[in-house]
Amino acid sequence: MASTLLKSFSTTAQRNVGNQLSSAMRSFATIHVEHGRGVWKTYGDVNNYTPGKFQIKTFNKISPIGLARLSEDRYDIRTEEQDAHNAHAILLRSHKLKEEEVAHTVRAIARCGAGTNNIPVARMTELGIPVFNTPGANANAVKELVICGLFLGSRKVIDGINHMKSLGEQGLARERVEKDKAMFGGREINGKTLAVIGLGNIGAATAHDAAQLGMKVKGYDPGLSVTAALKLPSSVQLSDSITSAVADADYISINIPYIKGANGTHHIINDEIIKHFKQGAVLLNFARGELVDSDALKKHLDTKDGRYISDFPDDVVWNHENAVILPHLGASTEEAEDAAASMAADTIKMFLEEGSIRHSVNFPTTSLPERPKGTVRFTVVNKNVPGCLALITESFANAGMNIVQQINQSRGDIAYNMLDIDVSSNGDVHSFKDVQEQITQIDHVLSTRILFGTPGQGYAKKIDGEYFV
């Protein structure tokens, strides 16, 4: 594609770029932003590209309410069945994303949900691509299913339903409806003790509603902040370990993320924890199946008459008489899907248009105040190594460009920079072509963006050491 030269911003020029530039921008000096020297055959036909819009690739069925947050005049939404070889961002739900599905042009990925196990997050971090999720968007939906699980674990409702269906097939339902009820006795949850493991959005909501139902609530969360603790009902008793939380609990609800590797949460509910379960304890798992050691759990179900209620498949206890395994229904409500898609769309929009980062699982939360009049926003993704920031700011100084405001944040091996560059002097031509290439080619820099003018332009990165724009 040809370079883009934004000049004097006459009425005709404004119409050509879709009226994307504000009246304040029209007073700028000439801004030269080169874009599009990449080889189109690497990632698709140029005819598949809609100039002047951010192209968003979607996988799965994304809520129309969420997608509506991305205006048609600035965003080109492509479904899973449509070509989107030049996508600037990806929105998905449960689709297991492969690296080859992430075009060179992709700046960000957002999942409409809390978990990101279906995204190769570590590899995306290496490529300098932030991955977003939607914490709390489905909290109410999951919480309601956990509460449902309390009743399924205390009353043999499903067993009774299946029994009545069988009697109905034999024409005996009316005759046996009273006689057979003794087969499905249960207990009330009022006055019973619930241990909530993990007091984030879902866990805290579960603790609150369980207390409203008359339950005694114990909680454990090593990462619980003072602010989050203050939001819990005053009746919640905080424990100092999982073991002390589950001891004497009639019901145990797991509400923590699944983390692989050393110090992770794989099989965090194991034989050492389960041996402290009381007789008849009910385990509720609407978080992740891998959190529970199924072999250890089976011993509990076999010997202590406990119950297991979960919406994750399990090869060991799926058909156990004391297990109720549901489809993965946690976030399967219209309200949760709308809320998650809306939050994901908002985070993508904020990142693409403003450069700000929030709700990312691999990048630091980063934002600057509104860009001052007469400036262009420049962002840099780099590896978190000493000296890199100094080389970035030195490049602007050598180009005679003044940094009006900036922020540098890091998270693990990645660092993210936002800089607003002064371009308000009259009569000058501010070309970012050379300085962007110079900064992108700095060792440890992964990508750069110029947030100005036509949506989608101004992006550069290194691919196998080669400069790609």
Side-chain angles (χ1 to χ4, degrees), residues 186-264:
R187 64 188 182 191
E188 298 179 12
I189 64 172
N190 182 45
K192 303 300 189 299
T193 299
L194 169 67
V196 181
I197 310 303
L199 294 166
N201 293 302
I202 297 170
T206 299
H208 180 274
D209 282 18
Q212 293 290 100
L213 290 169
M215 301 189 77
K216 300 173 185 177
V217 183
K218 300 166 71 175
Y220 171 72
D221 191 331
L224 185 67
S225 66
V226 174
T227 301
L230 291 174
K231 294 179 181 178
L232 294 171
S234 58
S235 60
V236 174
Q237 175 187 339
L238 296 178
S239 302
D240 58 5
S241 68
I242 296 180
T243 300
S244 61
V246 304
D248 300 322
D250 301 290
Y251 302 85
I252 299 138
S253 178
I254 315 170
N255 305 282
I256 57 178
Y258 177 63
I259 302 172
K260 296 180 180 180
N263 301 317

Side-chain angles (χ1 to χ4, degrees), residues 323-362:
V324 176
I325 307 299
L326 308 172
H328 185 46
L329 300 178
S332 295
T333 67
E334 292 181 8
E335 295 86 349
E337 291 178 6
D338 292 345
S342 296
M343 184 183 292
D346 285 345
T347 56
I348 285 290
K349 180 178 180 179
M350 180 181 295
F351 179 73
L352 291 179
E353 297 185 13
E354 303 172 19
S356 300
I357 292 179
R358 70 178 180 186
H359 301 319
S360 174
V361 299
N362 62 336

Side-chain angles (χ1 to χ4, degrees), residues 247-372:
D248 300 322
D250 301 290
Y251 302 85
I252 299 138
S253 178
I254 315 170
N255 305 282
I256 57 178
Y258 177 63
I259 302 172
K260 296 180 180 180
N263 301 317
T265 56
H266 182 77
H267 285 184
I268 194 169
I269 304 300
N270 50 37
D271 186 66
E272 184 61 30
I273 299 298
I274 293 175
K275 72 181 182 181
H276 292 280
F277 284 11
K278 67 184 294 186
Q279 183 78 22
V282 177
L283 178 63
L284 308 169
N285 179 12
F286 294 92
R288 280 293 180 270
E290 297 87 346
L291 295 170
V292 177
D293 181 339
S294 298
D295 291 325
L297 176 65
K298 186 175 184 300
K299 296 177 184 178
H300 170 69
L301 300 181
D302 287 341
T303 61
K304 291 190 176 181
D305 194 33
R307 303 203 83 194
Y308 181 52
I309 318 296
S310 178
D311 66 343
F312 288 94
D314 190 289
D315 293 335
V316 177
V317 300
W318 68 271
N319 64 341
H320 197 287
E321 61 178 353
N322 289 333
V324 176
I325 307 299
L326 308 172
H328 185 46
L329 300 178
S332 295
T333 67
E334 292 181 8
E335 295 86 349
E337 291 178 6
D338 292 345
S342 296
M343 184 183 292
D346 285 345
T347 56
I348 285 290
K349 180 178 180 179
M350 180 181 295
F351 179 73
L352 291 179
E353 297 185 13
E354 303 172 19
S356 300
I357 292 179
R358 70 178 180 186
H359 301 319
S360 174
V361 299
N362 62 336
F363 270 56
T365 299
T366 313
S367 65
L368 275 179
E370 185 177 354
R371 179 173 54 79

